[in-house]
Amino acid sequence: HPILSTLTEEEVENELKKSRNILISYRVVNPAFIAFSYPNGNFTNRLSEMVREAGYHLAVTTQQGWNRDSDNPYTLHRIAIHQDITSTEAMFGSRIVNIL
C-alpha cells in the first residue's frame, strides 16, 4: 500500500475506497464493521477524517500504548506483539506492561 500521507486527497480517497471494496468483495471483512491500519503507521488528522468518511469504523496507528474510551477511534494506539515477544510468558507479560 502507498503511504497515504504522501498522496493527494483524491489519491487517498481512491485508495481507501478501492481497498474497502476489495475487502468486501473477497468477503474477508464484515461490511458492518471494517477496521483500517495506516500503511507504515503514518497518519494526520485529515487522513483520520478521510478514513472515517470512506466508511471504516476504526483505524490503528503504530503508536505504542493503550487506548481509552475517550480516544479517537481513528487514531488508536496498539501494542506490537510479534512471535519473538511471545516465545515466553515473561517476555509477553513484559510487552503488555510496556517494559520491552
Side-chain angles (χ1 to χ4, degrees):
H1 295 286
I3 306 303
L4 298 181
S5 58
T6 68
L7 304 178
T8 66
E9 284 201 12
E10 182 179 344
E11 291 170 323
V12 170
E13 286 177 12
N14 290 334
E15 183 70 22
L16 292 171
K17 289 177 185 175
K18 179 179 146 189
S19 296
R20 184 178 181 278
N21 290 338
I22 289 171
L23 291 170
I24 291 170
S25 72
Y26 284 121
R27 298 179 182 192
V28 296
V29 298
N30 178 342
F33 186 85
I34 304 173
F36 184 82
S37 179
Y38 295 101
N40 204 45
N42 297 31
F43 73 97
T44 64
N45 287 336
R46 178 62 185 135
L47 283 174
S48 69
E49 291 171 13
M50 294 177 76
V51 168
R52 181 185 54 76
E53 291 166 359
Y56 294 87
H57 299 90
L58 64 79
V60 294
T61 69
T62 55
Q63 293 179 341
Q64 179 89 358
W66 297 97
N67 298 293
R68 295 185 172 85
D69 288 344
S70 60
D71 290 344
N72 180 344
Y74 295 92
T75 59
L76 296 173
H77 298 98
R78 58 185 169 173
I79 297 173
I81 303 293
H82 302 283
Q83 187 175 9
D84 60 331
I85 293 298
T86 60
S87 61
T88 69
E89 286 185 30
M91 289 180 71
F92 177 72
S94 295
R95 176 54 61 102
I96 295 297
V97 294
N98 285 328
I99 293 174
L100 293 177

